[in-house]
Amino acid sequence: FEGIEKIREKNWRVRSHPQQQHKRQVSSLKDTGEILAPLDGVFFDPSLMDELIVRVSIPQLLERKQPVYPGVILFVPPGTGKSEFQSAVVQVYRNGGAYTEQVSASNLNSCWVGQLAKNIESTLEKAVEASNSIGLPSFLSFDEGSIFAQKADNGAASVSKHYQEAIDVFKRYIGNDVGKWLVLAISTNLLPQDFEEAMTREGRLTSFFISYPSQREVARMWKYFLQSRKVLDVSDEQALELAGLTGDESGALIANFCY
């Protein structure tokens, strides 16, 4: 698969030669750099980032094609940038003119057995209708969505039935024709052995372990936030030195420091 830099280059060329690829040019209101700009604030290992970009079907968004993959599950530990990645992808889809929504697990959940499944179905149906209307993939982000990834038989019988009905709704959409334009991202602090197998089988959601950033990635955070907030310009070497001094501090702390 192509990495994000190749995707940028490819779509610049598409925009530059509309007479050759008029069906595949990106939004007339934004160029590719503007559409992808939110990803600049995500600091994953480059090879992981490239694969995630493909798995959330950003190339297909830019080319106005049906998604190749239905999405991802991002798992453990907390504070590693999973939410930031999901928010960035939401903004990329929005920039590209597609339907997207950040879905709250707590808002969808209900004390009434069966209501969770109905709420999920309503959310998925709305996204499918939007895709059918505008001819673009739809992206749904379920942040802190452990209840959508865990095994349905965890808990008491009534709770298990509650989750099983919800999982059955996802199964009807993910990787099937009715949901062929849908892309999902679910973040969780669960481990893979706790995932519902039906959600992660071949053709459905791919699981990715998101680890704490390396020193080089922390250096990228320092350089990005210092420059984007117009605090000062630093070289790669200076950013790496800052990363060495601050250790494994979170991106949120670095961002707040640079205000």
Side-chain angles (χ1 to χ4, degrees):
F1 55 83
E2 295 177 324
I4 187 170
E5 295 308 321
K6 289 292 184 183
I7 292 170
R8 291 181 195 272
E9 293 171 8
K10 177 179 179 181
N11 284 281
W12 273 112
R13 289 198 296 272
V14 168
R15 188 172 177 81
S16 299
H17 299 88
Q19 72 278 12
Q20 298 175 14
Q21 304 261 6
H22 67 283
K23 296 284 187 182
R24 299 167 63 183
Q25 59 184 321
V26 298
S27 167
S28 60
L29 299 178
K30 293 183 175 73
D31 62 36
T32 308
E34 290 176 292
I35 293 173
L36 298 178
L39 297 171
D40 293 341
V42 179
F43 305 97
F44 292 163
D45 175 82
S47 60
L48 170 64
M49 187 69 167
D50 285 346
E51 189 164 2
L52 286 171
I53 293 303
V54 171
R55 292 288 178 169
V56 295
S57 291
I58 285 177
Q60 286 68 49
L61 167 70
L62 296 172
E63 296 181 347
R64 280 23 188 178
K65 288 183 175 180
Q66 181 180 318
V68 174
Y69 302 104
V72 298
I73 295 178
L74 311 177
F75 66 96
V76 296
T80 55
K82 299 187 296 293
S83 299
E84 287 73 14
F85 173 76
Q86 289 174 261
S87 295
V89 176
V90 164
Q91 191 59 53
V92 167
Y93 268 75
R94 187 171 293 134
N95 289 348
Y99 177 85
T100 183
E101 183 180 355
Q102 289 183 296
V103 184
S104 167
S106 59
N107 287 345
L108 286 186
N109 208 353
S110 170
C111 63
W112 301 106
V113 173
Q115 191 59 47
L116 174 61
K118 292 177 183 177
N119 291 343
I120 291 172
E121 182 128 38
S122 175
T123 299
L124 298 179
E125 281 181 347
K126 185 177 179 181
V128 167
E129 289 172 3
S131 286
N132 290 337
S133 174
I134 61 180
L136 291 173
S138 289
F139 179 72
L140 298 176
S141 170
F142 297 84
D143 190 20
E144 298 183 3
S146 293
I147 64 170
F148 307 121
Q150 70 183 14
K151 291 178 180 176
D153 58 4
N154 286 351
S158 60
V159 175
S160 297
K161 183 176 186 294
H162 187 60
Y163 289 151
Q164 187 60 61
E165 291 176 345
I167 293 297
D168 288 343
V169 172
F170 278 118
K171 285 162 58 179
R172 288 202 302 273
Y173 283 84
I174 301 172
N176 291 319
D177 189 65
V178 66
K180 64 187 178 182
W181 287 93
L182 287 180
V183 181
L184 278 61
I186 299 174
S187 64
T188 176
N189 294 331
L190 298 175
L191 293 169
Q193 59 263 33
D194 298 316
F195 294 168
E196 173 61 42
E197 185 179 353
M199 295 288 283
T200 57
R201 77 180 194 196
E202 185 70 24
R204 289 193 173 145
L205 305 182
T206 305
S207 302
F208 289 91
F209 174 72
I210 308 299
S211 63
Y212 288 109
S214 67
Q215 186 177 16
R216 188 167 297 278
E217 287 148 17
V218 173
R220 286 171 51 213
M221 293 182 200
W222 275 112
K223 186 169 184 176
Y224 173 82
F225 288 115
L226 285 170
Q227 294 183 345
S228 64
R229 304 279 169 78
K230 302 186 186 305
V231 178
L232 75 161
D233 290 334
V234 294
S235 67
D236 291 342
E237 292 77 12
Q238 290 170 325
L240 200 58
E241 185 176 354
L242 277 171
L245 292 171
T246 53
D248 57 357
E249 294 293 353
S250 69
L253 183 144
I254 295 171
N256 290 334
F257 180 86
C258 295
Y259 266 119

